[in-house]
Amino acid sequence: MKSKCPKCKGIGSVVVDYKECDACGGTGYEDDLFDVGSHFKGVNSKAKAKFDLGSDQDIPCEICNGKGQVEVFEECPNCNGTGEINVCRDCGKVLPGELDLCDECKDKRKVEKMKHDEFEARQRAARVVYVLDSLCQMRDIDKDKLYKGKITRIERYGAFVSLNNNVWGLMRGDVSDYKVGDDIVVFITAIKSREGKIDFAPAFVEEYKLKRLTKSISRTLISKLEEKKGKIVRIAGEVQQIQQTSGPTIFIINDESGTTEIAAFDKAGERSYPEIELGDAVQVIGEVNEHGGKTQIESSSMTKLGEENTRKLHKLIDDALNKRAEPQHVDFLVKSDVLNRLKPKMREAAQRIRRAILDGRTILLRHHNDADGICSGVAMEKAIVPLIEKENPSNDAQYYYFKRSPSKAPFYELEDVVKDLSFALEDQERHGQKLPLIVLLDNGSTEEDIVALMQAKIYDIEVVVIDHHSPGDLLTKDERDGEIFGATVAVDEYVDCHVNPYLVGGDSQLTAGALATEVAHIINPNVKELIKHLPAVAALGDRAENGEVYQYLELASQKGFTKEHLAKIAECVDFEAYFLRFMNGRGIMDTILAVDNLDKHEKMIDALYNEYQKRIDIQLKAALPNIKRTQLSNGIYLNLIDVEKYAHKFTFPAPGKTCGFVHDHVIKELGEDKPIVTLGHGPDFGVFRATDAVNEEYGFNVNDIVATMINRVPSAGIDGGGHECAGSIKYIEGLGEEVLYKVVEEIQSLSKK
């Protein structure tokens, strides 16, 4: 860069010496002798005026200005006479040739450019704007990041900006365009101390994405919260349930180790974190305390995890819960080949139920409303409820996560599934609960169940069936050494796990009560002693006879129960179930079945059994004289009784039970070895009871008769079924006589094997 030569001041020459002035001879003044003529007189006059001299003063020399010496000049060696030199444009240092910058300034500019490029790159990368959670402090912020804050105060020298309650600073300069309450994106210009003195400047970014910055603390497992009371923790888990109370919002969160409550409060009765939904993977930061005797976290922040972290967390939880849900390896209560073949399915059923408990899903348990079904339900209840209470922090967890309901029919009716779905969907909407696991006991295996099961599957509800009713024809089967080890039936398309002795070559003599008790024992081995007598009650209630029954009776005798007393229990269960109808009667049934309130058990049985016998006697006095008896041509003893006309209505025993008691009376007269069929009928229904002899000798099967009638009288709207020797049939009242006539024809057509 060209610049004026500093040595010659841009004139190209410099003074090197001085010499005597030739004009004045070194005197500095002009001569006094001059011509008196007009010419010289005029010159002196001008000189006097120029120098403002008096008439008597000497005149200075105009050449040297009175100095007597003049300067001697030479060419400036610095600029070679040009008056200009080449210098560094930044520091002014003289440079050779045509260079603009010296080496030092070049290096300095490179460093500055690198800093500028780095700043630009940082600015480009800073399109993420961070929002501090309420627990973040000074140590959690970074000078290279952008933050979203709020203007909380304005002064003449600047505005105060708060990033949260713990971190705030001053934005200096002209803030006339801002007002208190404005949101603003800022960057940090200076951190003057870690005690909180920060300077901000506005970051003028138009497009950015917000990212929550949470306090940097290590993750705590829910199972370790008890050790962290009074401390701030961070947990990560899945939202199982959301409950809105009149005060805080309660989130039930589970991770791979357990479940806990999160209390979040904005305003009384107002939903906190409305963006959080059921099933979301979240991170929660808050203080651990105790509420109602249970450990709870008071939330300071709750955020959804990103897609990748969500996937990792779900896999971590899924693997851990599958491992925890895996049941212990326990022996069956009795020795049984059928149970051994069913063991994989029974363990699967137990695992699914245990997993549902860990997932925070409600166990919705449906069972037939008779002694066998109720024993099934109570056994499962005693195993499941303690696990629910252990896994869930709420004091009323069993009421949220477990429901047991009886079914009048020995199959899952539309009436049942409509109620179950209605309550499940309502609980999901009102209380944020997950859809339930449906467990069907002593029903669920037959074609009559399919329509209801299909409806449950529309909502992707998991279904487990534990039943001993005949499921109909086997679709596929696996035989080993002549014995069936695995098979599928029609309902398996709509059932996730199906436990049924027919699928492994067994039959209905292994009752649902026995199967459910064994599964309950697998689910929770701690309840073994409490429930081990229930299979014997179920077997006597269902008139089952096989090798397993005798072993279950022996188990019950170890608890002091005789066969006669167990039979009384079964009969009292049936009696009380009639009046409970659709209620589960938890406390009453616990007393009758001797699983609770043991001090009241004997009194309850005595009171109920006396009334039970009384009502049966009254019913039989009306029914027995009106039995139509005949021995068919094939040798079968057929007994018909119109239970609509010749039995008391709307009281115990109901038509089905009345038919059973009539059948028992006939057996006492004729003997158990006789082929006896009793049919109690009404205007639009029929109830079958048959001896094992008629089944073994003639192949009598209620399900086969119902299927035949559907084809023979298609306009009668027939359905029904049950066990081989006990079941029911329904039909249109106007075609009742035709249906009964053809039923009798069908029984008469049976021949000995």
Side-chain angles (χ1 to χ4, degrees):
M1 170 181 138
K2 296 298 182 179
S3 178
K4 184 187 291 187
C5 178
K7 191 166 185 177
C8 67
K9 308 301 182 185
I11 62 176
S13 60
V14 294
V15 177
V16 295
D17 202 357
Y18 293 89
K19 68 178 183 177
E20 184 179 281
C21 176
D22 292 335
C24 65
T27 63
Y29 303 98
E30 292 191 6
D31 290 338
D32 293 332
L33 299 176
F34 49 82
D35 194 323
V36 296
S38 62
H39 173 71
F40 289 102
K41 184 179 180 181
V43 171
N44 287 329
S45 297
K46 291 179 181 178
K48 292 278 187 178
K50 176 180 178 182
F51 292 105
D52 193 23
L53 300 175
S55 58
D56 58 343
Q57 289 180 301
D58 292 331
I59 300 170
C61 176
E62 290 187 0
I63 300 303
C64 67
N65 290 322
K67 295 179 181 179
Q69 291 181 329
V70 291
E71 298 163 329
V72 179
F73 290 91
E74 286 186 0
E75 184 181 273
C76 178
N78 195 46
C79 63
N80 297 322
T82 63
E84 295 180 338
I85 58 173
N86 197 45
V87 297
C88 174
R89 67 172 61 188
D90 285 353
C91 68
K93 181 180 179 181
V94 178
L95 298 177
E98 299 297 324
L99 298 176
D100 284 343
L101 295 169
C102 66
D103 291 341
E104 289 181 2
C105 289
K106 280 183 181 179
D107 293 341
K108 185 177 180 180
R109 284 205 170 200
K110 285 180 182 179
V111 171
E112 289 178 349
K113 186 177 185 303
M114 289 174 62
K115 288 182 177 180
H116 177 77
D117 291 345
E118 183 180 349
F119 175 77
E120 288 294 325
R122 229 168 46 217
Q123 288 294 94
R124 287 194 297 272
R127 296 309 179 213
V128 174
V129 176
Y130 291 88
V131 179
L132 300 188
D133 73 18
S134 60
L135 296 180
C136 282
Q137 297 175 334
M138 281 289 299
R139 66 177 65 90
D140 300 309
I141 64 175
D142 190 334
K143 193 174 180 180
D144 293 332
K145 291 184 173 67
L146 298 182
Y147 296 94
K148 186 174 183 181
K150 188 181 290 292
I151 294 177
T152 55
R153 197 171 86 221
I154 293 178
E155 301 290 350
R156 58 180 178 78
Y157 48 81
F160 287 93
V161 178
S162 293
L163 303 187
N164 66 5
N165 291 333
N166 304 319
V167 182
W168 55 275
L170 178 63
M171 186 174 71
R172 300 178 184 274
D174 182 10
V175 293
S176 58
D177 293 335
Y178 301 102
K179 61 182 184 296
V180 173
D182 282 353
D183 290 329
I184 186 170
V185 176
V186 296
F187 65 91
I188 300 170
T189 59
I191 299 178
K192 297 181 178 179
S193 73
R194 284 294 171 182
E195 285 71 41
K197 293 183 179 180
I198 309 172
D199 282 351
F200 291 127
F204 300 103
V205 288
E206 295 181 358
E207 295 183 4
Y208 56 86
K209 59 182 180 179
L210 293 175
K211 184 174 182 180
R212 182 169 288 276
L213 184 65
T214 57
K215 186 171 178 63
S216 179
I217 56 178
S218 60
R219 181 188 178 211
T220 299
L221 291 176
I222 289 175
S223 61
K224 303 293 184 182
L225 291 180
E226 194 73 23
E227 307 165 7
K228 301 282 186 176
K229 285 186 179 178
K231 296 181 180 179
I232 300 295
V233 299
R234 176 175 70 88
I235 67 167
E238 181 182 339
V239 180
Q240 283 190 353
Q241 187 177 345
I242 304 171
Q243 303 171 16
Q244 183 58 59
T245 71
S246 58
T249 306
I250 303 298
F251 295 84
I252 307 298
I253 308 289
N254 77 300
D255 66 7
E256 64 269 29
S257 68
T259 303
T260 193
E261 280 187 0
I262 310 295
F265 183 84
D266 289 332
K267 292 182 181 178
E270 185 174 302
R271 171 79 144 80
S272 298
Y273 306 114
E275 72 279 7
I276 303 296
E277 299 175 351
L278 205 64
D280 282 346
V282 297
Q283 176 176 273
V284 180
I285 294 177
E287 183 178 346
V288 182
N289 55 32
E290 190 173 291
H291 180 75
K294 300 283 186 177
T295 301
Q296 185 185 78
I297 296 176
E298 288 186 2
S299 170
S300 296
S301 71
M302 183 184 299
T303 55
K304 288 185 182 181
L305 296 179
E307 185 176 339
E308 179 64 18
N309 287 333
T310 294
R311 186 189 62 78
K312 290 180 179 178
L313 181 66
H314 279 158
K315 186 178 187 308
L316 184 67
I317 292 175
D318 195 54
D319 291 345
L321 294 189
N322 279 337
K323 186 175 181 180
R324 290 177 61 199
E326 185 68 26
Q328 297 181 32
H329 288 277
V330 296
D331 294 329
F332 288 122
L333 300 177
V334 298
K335 297 185 181 301
S336 168
D337 290 337
V338 174
L339 288 177
N340 288 337
R341 293 196 291 270
L342 268 177
K343 190 170 187 176
K345 281 291 184 183
M346 295 172 77
R347 285 186 59 80
E348 180 188 346
Q351 194 272 343
R352 288 180 180 273
I353 293 169
R354 286 172 60 89
R355 178 58 198 266
I357 295 170
L358 297 175
D359 284 340
R361 285 182 287 155
T362 299
I363 308 295
L364 204 165
L365 196 151
R366 278 276 180 187
H367 57 79
H368 189 204
N369 197 25
D370 66 358
D372 186 27
I374 291 171
C375 285
S376 304
V378 170
M380 294 291 277
E381 180 180 299
K382 295 305 175 186
I384 291 171
V385 168
L387 298 183
I388 289 175
E389 292 179 329
K390 179 181 177 182
E391 290 298 323
N392 293 277
S394 174
N395 289 327
D396 53 0
Q398 62 170 301
Y399 302 106
Y400 276 111
Y401 297 111
F402 182 82
K403 291 183 175 66
R404 177 170 66 83
S405 302
S407 296
K408 183 178 179 181
F411 57 88
Y412 197 30
E413 289 188 292
L414 276 174
E415 181 180 356
D416 297 332
V417 75
V418 167
K419 290 179 182 177
D420 294 343
L421 288 177
S422 178
F423 286 126
L425 295 173
E426 184 178 341
D427 286 344
Q428 184 184 48
E429 179 69 23
R430 291 180 59 194
H431 307 299
Q433 289 184 239
K434 296 180 180 179
L435 290 175
L437 165 68
I438 294 178
V439 180
L440 302 178
L441 305 175
D442 199 24
N443 58 27
S445 290
T446 66
E447 290 188 4
E448 285 79 15
D449 298 274
I450 289 178
V451 176
L453 291 170
M454 190 184 302
Q455 194 166 346
K457 273 302 169 186
I458 290 173
Y459 293 91
D460 293 324
I461 293 176
E462 188 177 8
V463 179
V464 171
V465 170
I466 301 174
D467 190 17
H468 71 139
H469 288 88
S470 174
D473 296 333
L474 303 183
L475 301 180
T476 62
K477 60 183 179 180
D478 175 23
E479 294 187 4
R480 303 175 194 172
D481 300 327
E483 292 186 338
I484 298 175
F485 273 73
T488 61
V489 290
V491 298
D492 286 349
E493 183 179 349
Y494 310 100
V495 171
D496 296 280
C497 180
H498 188 187
V499 178
N500 191 308
Y502 282 93
L503 301 181
V504 293
D507 57 29
S508 63
Q509 297 304 299
L510 188 57
T511 64
L515 295 170
T517 300
E518 295 287 3
V519 173
H521 177 222
I522 296 172
I523 293 170
N524 185 356
N526 294 333
V527 299
K528 175 181 177 180
E529 292 301 318
L530 181 65
I531 65 174
K532 69 180 184 180
H533 65 287
L534 295 182
V537 176
L540 294 174
D542 242 31
R543 312 292 180 87
E545 289 189 15
N546 59 15
E548 289 87 350
V549 171
Y550 299 121
Q551 295 180 68
Y552 286 125
L553 288 170
E554 177 60 29
L555 271 179
S557 70
Q558 295 173 11
K559 295 183 67 173
F561 294 110
T562 64
K563 183 177 180 180
E564 292 73 18
H565 187 73
L566 292 168
K568 284 185 178 181
I569 292 175
E571 289 160 344
C572 289
V573 168
D574 283 335
F575 179 60
E576 200 75 349
Y578 175 83
F579 298 100
L580 286 168
R581 298 183 186 279
F582 298 108
M583 296 186 293
N584 61 40
R586 180 181 291 185
I588 297 173
M589 285 301 174
D590 287 354
T591 304
I592 296 172
L593 289 170
V595 293
D596 199 2
N597 302 318
L598 298 182
D599 57 320
K600 299 177 176 62
H601 171 73
E602 293 288 346
K603 292 179 180 179
M604 178 69 81
I605 294 299
D606 289 342
L608 292 180
Y609 190 71
N610 289 335
E611 185 63 21
Y612 168 85
Q613 288 285 39
K614 177 183 175 181
R615 295 194 180 219
I616 291 174
D617 291 341
I618 293 172
Q619 194 76 299
L620 288 180
K621 285 178 181 178
L624 292 178
N626 297 290
I627 301 173
K628 295 180 180 178
R629 307 185 184 203
T630 184
Q631 185 174 14
L632 303 177
S633 58
N634 58 0
I636 294 176
Y637 293 91
L638 179 63
N639 307 283
L640 297 174
I641 174 69
D642 189 333
V643 291
E644 186 75 8
K645 293 180 179 179
Y646 304 112
H648 295 282
K649 298 179 183 178
F650 314 119
T651 187
F652 182 87
K657 284 289 181 183
T658 299
C659 181
F661 292 131
V662 169
H663 182 67
D664 292 342
H665 181 83
V666 175
I667 288 176
K668 287 181 181 178
E669 292 182 355
L670 300 178
E672 292 185 4
D673 58 340
K674 296 292 192 295
I676 303 170
V677 176
T678 302
L679 175 58
H681 61 87
D684 59 353
F685 68 90
V687 181
F688 296 94
R689 294 293 185 269
T691 57
D692 291 337
V694 74
N695 171 254
E696 295 167 359
E697 295 178 20
Y698 294 85
F700 177 88
N701 189 317
V702 172
N703 299 296
D704 293 341
I705 291 176
V706 171
T708 301
M709 290 304 105
I710 290 173
N711 293 325
R712 292 189 64 182
V713 195
S715 58
I718 294 172
D719 67 4
H723 298 299
E724 290 93 333
C725 296
S728 61
I729 184 170
K730 295 181 181 179
Y731 43 79
I732 292 173
E733 183 175 348
L735 296 175
E737 289 188 8
E738 181 181 352
V739 172
L740 290 175
Y741 179 78
K742 293 188 182 300
V743 166
V744 174
E745 278 189 344
E746 184 64 24
I747 295 173
Q748 189 168 357
S749 69
L750 298 175
S751 57
K752 284 190 176 184
K753 296 180 180 179

